[in-house]
Amino acid sequence: MKTSRLLVIATLLLACRAPAAEQARPNILFIFSDDHAQHAISAYGSKVNQTPHLDRIAREGARFLNSFVANSICTPSRASLLTGQYSHLNGVPVFNRFDGARDNVAKRLQAGGYHTGIIGKWHLGSAPTGFDRWIVLPGQGAYWNPQFLVPGHKLTLTGHCTEVTTELGLEFLRTRPTDRPFFLMLHHKAPHRNWEPDLRNKALFKDRVIPEPATLWDDYATRPAGLPENHQTVARHLTRTDLKMEPPAGLTGRELTKWQYQRYAQDYLACVQGVDDGVGQVLDYLDASGLASNTVVIYSADNGWYLGDLGMYDKRFMYEPGLRVPLLARGPGISAGLLPAGFAVNVDLAPTFLDLADLPIPASMQGRSLVPLLRGQAPSDWRTSVYYRYYHDPGHHNTAAHYGVRTATHKLIHYWKKDAWELFDLTADPAEQRNLLHPDPASAPPEVAAKFAELKAELTRLQRELKDEGQL
């Protein structure tokens, strides 16, 4: 981005410099990507790519081992991020517009003395509220020469969206008022579909051979309630727009699927690499400017992602690749190499921001601050199960509505419109290939029936606790 454009952006962001002052409370930089699979980060053991800058956050701070979303889809996840509430309470279970009059974490941080900003993907249908500065993509936004919305204006910036978003984030850091701490939400569009990487990373991955996941050829034999009907398979549902080119002549069957997987994975991973590059630039700036010592950096994604796992792309389902999200953090008070094992859910992020800022957490927030875990503690009353619910049925990908519970060892999913249940032993079957209740829960052996009853009881308890009773 040229210097003249940076000056225009700084003006539009209404930047103002103030005298430097001692800050006791930390700055909070939250970097968020869209559809980033946890297993496409090398710190999480990726077999398909290397992400040195995200790995740096993990190495210098914390890498959460069990971080999940409550509803694996873009807009609802963003509403949960802001409100600390599950979808049934925050008013955004699908793609409906977020009510900007609602309480949110940015408003509370702003009122508590923080300089607040949101840059990049917003995707909530309404104008951001609670932010001193905002410059956001309309809807999904474009990868190339993206248009942004600022208060009262539209602005088109040339270049690749990931690079532009990174530069806007750096400009915020350079031009922020220095007499109070900042809270910046730096939200990338990438690696969302249609996976259009910057040219350098596209060339880097162009001829890369990506290892196929073990479950690419999943036949869904014991999971007939939802998976066979879905419209997000690598074999059948990637479009020519997704693949960017026609397949070689004569390819059919498995060979065609293999080719489609490579094309898809190459572009997806190249988009991830662009995000990692941007994270590196921001970390370098924090270090060079002296901000790193008093800035908590947190990285996550709005939902998980199927990188060919279970034969799919996209998210939505409660299976592990879509349920799990990356969650990395470094900063003051966070020990290097920390591996928190406690269950974290995206509704915990808003309370965490407030706790870091030494501000009260309202009773309306259903999440819980992760700060004790970031301090290396293991509270005895920490949650031992996670509640999930997906609403958008049939939606764009014909995904059946479902809800469920996950514990340290098991997962129970209920496709409630079909009254179909799936139970998985995650210790023995981490890839969720064998539904223990198939073909009929009534014929399950006693030990499976006992676990089924136990998890149903836990599911009922969570729905009660989270005020999701009677919503089905």
Side-chain angles (χ1 to χ4, degrees):
M1 189 180 292
K2 296 180 180 178
T3 302
S4 59
R5 257 192 292 126
L6 285 173
L7 292 173
V8 170
I9 293 162
T11 301
L12 285 166
L13 290 173
L14 304 176
C16 57
R17 292 191 177 274
E22 187 81 19
Q23 293 176 6
R25 294 186 295 170
N27 305 304
I28 304 168
L29 172 57
F30 179 68
I31 307 176
F32 206 42
S33 58
D34 192 304
D35 294 345
H36 191 177
Q38 188 188 80
H39 53 304
I41 295 176
S42 40
Y44 278 103
S46 172
K47 296 179 174 60
V48 294
N49 67 334
Q50 294 292 311
T51 49
H53 305 299
L54 291 171
D55 294 358
R56 178 178 164 193
I57 300 176
R59 185 175 65 252
E60 297 175 355
R63 172 172 64 88
F64 280 76
L65 300 179
N66 293 294
S67 48
F68 308 100
V69 288
N71 182 359
S72 187
I73 194 168
C74 304
T75 302
S77 179
R78 292 163 194 274
S80 289
L81 168 65
L82 285 172
T83 63
Q85 296 178 326
Y86 288 79
S87 298
H88 62 278
L89 288 191
N90 66 33
V92 187
V94 286
F95 289 104
N96 35 315
R97 177 180 178 275
F98 178 70
D99 180 0
R102 282 180 176 267
D103 189 18
N104 72 54
V105 68
K107 291 180 180 180
R108 288 183 172 265
L109 286 163
Q110 186 182 54
Y114 273 71
H115 179 65
T116 58
I118 170 74
I119 294 170
K121 186 167 180 179
W122 174 246
H123 203 215
L124 284 167
S126 55
T129 54
F131 296 96
D132 295 301
R133 311 187 196 179
W134 55 269
I135 176 166
V136 298
L137 296 166
Q140 293 286 3
Y143 268 111
W144 288 99
N145 304 325
Q147 182 185 84
F148 286 86
L149 307 177
V150 296
H153 300 278
K154 293 180 181 179
L155 176 69
T156 299
L157 300 176
T158 56
H160 189 270
C161 191
T162 302
E163 296 172 345
V164 171
T165 300
T166 298
E167 290 171 356
L168 291 171
L170 291 170
E171 188 66 11
F172 176 96
L173 297 175
R174 294 186 190 106
T175 61
R176 77 199 189 284
T178 55
D179 62 339
R180 60 188 193 272
F182 67 80
F183 170 65
L184 173 60
M185 305 183 91
L186 185 59
H187 288 198
H188 287 288
K189 169 184 173 61
H192 193 278
R193 193 180 187 184
N194 292 313
W195 316 298
E196 298 175 24
D198 66 86
L199 298 181
R200 184 175 63 83
N201 282 307
K202 184 177 180 66
L204 185 66
F205 279 85
K206 179 177 178 293
D207 298 315
R208 190 83 56 91
V209 177
I210 312 301
E212 295 173 2
T215 57
L216 179 62
W217 310 106
D218 195 335
D219 62 5
Y220 314 140
T222 71
R223 294 144 296 157
L227 281 170
E229 299 174 2
N230 90 81
H231 291 172
Q232 55 195 70
T233 66
V234 171
R236 301 191 307 277
H237 300 111
L238 288 172
T239 68
R240 290 294 173 263
T241 303
D242 296 327
L243 299 170
K244 320 291 192 309
M245 63 178 69
E246 293 292 326
L251 279 188
T252 59
R254 282 204 168 203
E255 291 307 309
L256 177 58
T257 299
K258 283 173 170 284
W259 180 86
Q260 290 181 161
Y261 171 74
Q262 292 298 324
R263 272 278 57 244
Y264 151 60
Q266 287 164 353
D267 281 353
Y268 175 90
L269 294 172
C271 286
V272 168
Q273 211 66 35
V275 171
D276 189 66
D277 292 342
V279 168
Q281 292 178 54
V282 173
L283 295 179
D284 287 346
Y285 177 81
L286 293 176
D287 288 347
S289 64
L291 283 170
S293 63
N294 198 40
T295 300
V296 175
V297 180
I298 299 175
Y299 180 86
S300 192
D302 58 349
N303 44 250
W305 191 255
Y306 297 88
L307 192 56
D309 312 278
L310 281 68
M312 294 192 291
Y313 64 92
D314 210 70
K315 53 258 188 174
R316 302 168 199 267
F317 287 103
M318 194 190 170
Y319 306 110
E320 291 292 283
L323 179 66
R324 286 185 172 272
V325 287
L327 184 56
L328 308 168
R330 76 162 205 190
I334 304 173
S335 299
L338 192 66
L339 298 172
F343 282 5
V345 186
N346 58 341
V347 293
D348 297 332
L349 290 167
T352 301
F353 300 151
L354 293 175
D355 198 5
L356 287 168
D358 198 24
L359 292 170
I361 300 167
S364 60
M365 288 188 176
Q366 296 177 292
R368 182 170 176 180
S369 170
L370 299 170
V371 167
L373 277 62
L374 290 171
R375 301 289 183 254
Q377 300 167 18
S380 59
D381 63 345
W382 199 260
R383 69 169 69 88
T384 57
S385 63
V386 170
Y387 179 63
Y388 179 88
R389 183 169 174 189
Y390 177 82
Y391 299 76
H392 198 211
D393 179 351
H396 303 109
H397 293 277
N398 201 41
T399 305
H402 57 287
Y403 59 81
V405 60
R406 189 202 191 279
T407 69
T409 60
H410 288 79
K411 181 184 294 178
L412 181 68
I413 302 173
H414 188 206
Y415 291 95
W416 57 272
K417 289 186 178 180
K418 303 178 179 184
D419 195 25
W421 295 89
E422 295 179 351
L423 172 61
F424 301 98
D425 179 340
L426 299 174
T427 303
D429 178 27
E432 299 165 293
Q433 294 294 286
R434 182 176 173 234
N435 170 19
L436 298 176
L437 299 175
H438 181 76
D440 181 11
S443 62
E447 66 275 12
V448 172
K451 181 59 69 173
F452 183 29
E454 174 191 326
L455 290 174
K456 279 204 292 186
E458 177 64 1
L459 188 53
T460 299
R461 186 192 70 80
L462 287 169
Q463 289 175 328
R464 229 178 253 136
E465 177 185 295
L466 299 173
K467 301 181 176 67
D468 198 24
E469 296 178 276
Q471 304 277 336
L472 305 179

